[in-house]
Amino acid sequence: MSPSSSSEKLSPPEIRAIAGLASIYGLRMLGMFIILPVFAFYAEHLPGGDNYTLVGIALGAYGLTQAILQVPFGWLSDRFGRKPVIYGGLLLFALGSFVAAAATDIYWVIAGRVIQGAGAISAAVMALAADLTREEHRTKAMAAIGMTIGTTFALSLVIAPSLNRMIGVPGIFFMTGVLVLLAMIVVSRVVPNPTDRRFHSDTEASAGGIFNVLRNPELLRLDFGVFALHAVLMALWLVVPLSLRQAGLAADHHWQIYFPALVISMLLIIPVIIYSEKKAKLKQVFVISVAVLLVSQILLAYTFDSIWGTAGALLVFFTAFNLLEATLPSLISKIAPVGAKGTAIGVYSSVQFLGTFIGASAGGYLYQHYGSTALFAFCGALLMLWLIFAVTMKAPAAVRTRMYHVQVMDTGTAHGLSRQLAALPGVHEALVLASEGVAYLKVDMRGFDEQGVAQLLGGEA
């Protein structure tokens, strides 16, 4: 038995797999995000679009079906294959895009968004990435695919106003539908076919493990956090575009506010992330970020009719939002049991999309009946509750997860090896899964001697 060498570089097939899957994942998220900055204006001209409850539901409807179907789609990919499930999901997303493009009222837009969300391929994409990458490169692959979310979000805010001016929201829906159909060619021609398809505990949700994850109070705190984070994000897209227009900035120029705020916020958070990891100050930075996010809601509420005031408040918001978006998955990885990381991430992602739906729907209802003050109060209440949960959470251990390939063995041998690995200095938790041929270790960020693991496994790291 020997661990895979962490010094090896990504192979050409791995690079193709990561690039292809990241582009598919990013394209799908682009289709979700791209209407956010402009939909409120488009809805004003639709029958039923004067009802902001319905506008909110249209914005967030994809989140409901995504939350419900994401984990089951992952299970289906275990049974029927990754690519068939991805093809089916992309077809559903394209169908939803075309339905929304042809919509003659707000109800048909809602139907289209529901169908878009039903193409819940995220879990299947991650599972295929795990099939196509070696254990020592798994984290890089998942990080590369996950980074497309932030990239596509930023791109959406920049290009949406210009696209809206050129082809309108129906044209944007139609364009994303066509692009998603073209993405099927990428799946077929660029992404390699896996030679071995099996369950991966680090990327996939286990049906039997969901209950245990839901009983973990520390993970539940983080699940509520991502729920609140995305609920607030979606609620804001009902009022921020209208706020900027009311302050005198034409919709075509809103990107001039969004883009600098996003770029500056990304530059600001890089040293903070490095500091929090190197100095093991993740909880402190996390709590401060939630507090800053709460402050941003107060600033947005009081600068509603000011372009520069809203721009400053958005800078504060995006700085805290992007920092939390980067920190939460890291916390999940550190807190989740080593053999249940994929399940914890699956629950986390589903709750995130549920927050998208609830935030947009509740925000629309509140704005419709009680105005922007009620919407900001709703966001503030969610963030205040999250801040309480964050302050009272346990500080996560300064650990990271390592994976090693192991040879075929029986279950008894795997249990014995797990105990031996767990007894090594610097190892907090160890689990050898004979069915996956992998040893999962949660180890100290400092002081971990990988050579000891290599010797125990019978090779060199």
Side-chain angles (χ1 to χ4, degrees):
M1 296 171 288
S2 64
S4 300
S5 174
S6 59
S7 64
E8 292 181 14
K9 296 181 179 180
L10 286 164
S11 66
E14 286 175 323
I15 293 172
R16 281 175 53 205
I18 294 170
L21 291 172
S23 66
I24 294 161
Y25 194 86
L27 180 60
R28 186 176 175 280
M29 297 313 297
L30 181 69
M32 300 298 190
F33 292 145
I34 197 166
I35 68 164
L36 295 182
V38 296
F39 188 73
F41 306 134
Y42 168 66
E44 291 175 337
H45 306 289
L46 278 177
D50 57 345
N51 184 329
Y52 269 86
T53 303
L54 295 177
V55 173
I57 293 172
L59 271 179
Y62 78 90
L64 181 61
T65 41
Q66 178 82 17
I68 294 170
L69 296 174
Q70 177 177 240
V71 171
F73 265 47
W75 295 337
L76 287 174
S77 76
D78 287 333
R79 182 169 183 179
F80 298 108
R82 313 301 189 197
K83 285 193 174 183
V85 169
I86 292 173
Y87 287 138
L90 291 174
L91 281 173
L92 279 172
F93 186 90
L95 175 62
S97 300
F98 295 140
V99 169
T104 54
D105 58 40
I106 193 69
Y107 298 99
W108 277 107
V109 176
I110 292 172
R113 294 286 275 177
V114 167
I115 298 170
Q116 280 186 323
I121 62 170
S122 301
V125 167
M126 293 300 187
L128 181 55
D131 287 338
L132 295 172
T133 54
R134 288 163 292 168
E135 291 82 4
E136 65 269 25
H137 298 307
R138 190 76 48 75
T139 301
K140 300 175 193 173
M142 298 307 158
I145 295 171
M147 283 173 58
T148 61
I149 298 177
T151 304
T152 54
F153 181 66
L155 182 63
S156 297
L157 299 189
V158 175
I159 68 174
S162 297
L163 283 174
N164 183 47
R165 184 178 68 252
M166 291 186 290
I167 60 177
V169 171
I172 293 174
F173 278 128
F174 185 81
M175 178 194 73
T176 56
V178 171
L179 289 174
V180 165
L181 290 178
L182 293 175
M184 296 176 70
I185 300 175
V186 176
V187 177
S188 174
R189 302 290 180 86
V190 177
V191 179
N193 292 315
T195 56
D196 181 29
R197 186 180 79 239
R198 64 179 187 270
F199 181 83
H200 304 275
S201 296
D202 59 316
T203 58
E204 297 183 69
S206 164
I210 288 179
F211 182 69
N212 289 331
V213 166
L214 292 175
R215 290 194 308 172
N216 186 315
E218 297 304 313
L219 289 176
L220 285 177
R221 292 171 193 267
L222 300 179
D223 290 338
F224 177 82
V226 78
F227 173 90
L229 185 66
H230 284 263
V232 169
L233 174 70
M234 293 302 292
L236 291 183
W237 288 115
L238 292 163
V239 295
V240 168
L242 299 176
S243 168
L244 290 171
R245 186 178 66 178
Q246 182 176 315
L249 186 65
D252 291 351
H253 299 292
H254 286 191
W255 69 270
Q256 297 171 353
I257 299 295
Y258 303 144
F259 183 65
L262 275 168
V263 172
I264 295 172
S265 70
M266 293 300 294
L267 294 175
L268 289 174
I269 70 170
I270 291 172
V272 179
I273 292 173
I274 294 172
Y275 169 80
S276 67
E277 289 286 353
K278 287 187 68 173
K279 301 295 184 180
K281 298 290 186 182
L282 206 55
K283 178 184 175 180
Q284 293 90 328
V285 170
F286 179 68
V287 171
I288 292 171
S289 300
V290 178
V292 171
L293 199 67
L294 178 58
V295 169
S296 74
Q297 300 307 295
I298 299 171
L299 293 174
L300 284 166
Y302 279 96
T303 59
F304 193 80
D305 57 352
S306 167
I307 295 175
W308 288 108
T310 300
L314 283 175
L315 174 59
V316 175
F317 172 81
F318 282 130
T319 300
F321 177 88
N322 289 327
L323 187 53
L324 289 164
E325 192 80 340
T327 302
L328 278 164
S330 177
L331 286 168
I332 289 282
S333 180
K334 293 178 189 302
I335 292 172
V338 70
K341 180 182 173 184
T343 304
I345 291 173
V347 172
Y348 167 90
S349 298
S350 296
V351 172
Q352 169 185 323
F353 285 111
L354 184 62
T356 295
F357 172 69
I358 297 296
S361 303
Y365 175 83
L366 291 170
Y367 188 64
Q368 171 77 21
H369 295 282
Y370 305 104
S372 61
T373 301
L375 185 147
F376 286 121
F378 165 72
C379 294
L382 278 178
L383 295 176
M384 179 61 73
L385 186 56
W386 185 14
L387 183 59
I388 294 170
F389 288 155
V391 169
T392 55
M393 72 181 284
K394 295 178 182 177
V399 295
R400 62 180 182 268
T401 301
R402 300 297 301 270
M403 287 177 285
Y404 299 88
H405 175 71
V406 297
Q407 295 178 358
V408 177
M409 66 183 72
D410 58 48
T411 304
T413 303
H415 287 329
L417 185 56
S418 296
R419 290 192 295 271
Q420 289 178 287
L421 289 168
L424 291 174
V427 178
H428 282 238
E429 197 177 343
L431 179 66
V432 178
L433 295 176
S435 59
E436 298 180 32
V438 175
Y440 295 101
L441 275 68
K442 193 175 286 188
V443 303
D444 279 330
M445 293 179 66
R446 303 172 187 166
F448 169 58
D449 181 11
E450 195 169 23
Q451 190 62 35
V453 176
Q455 291 173 355
L456 186 57
L457 293 178
E460 292 186 3

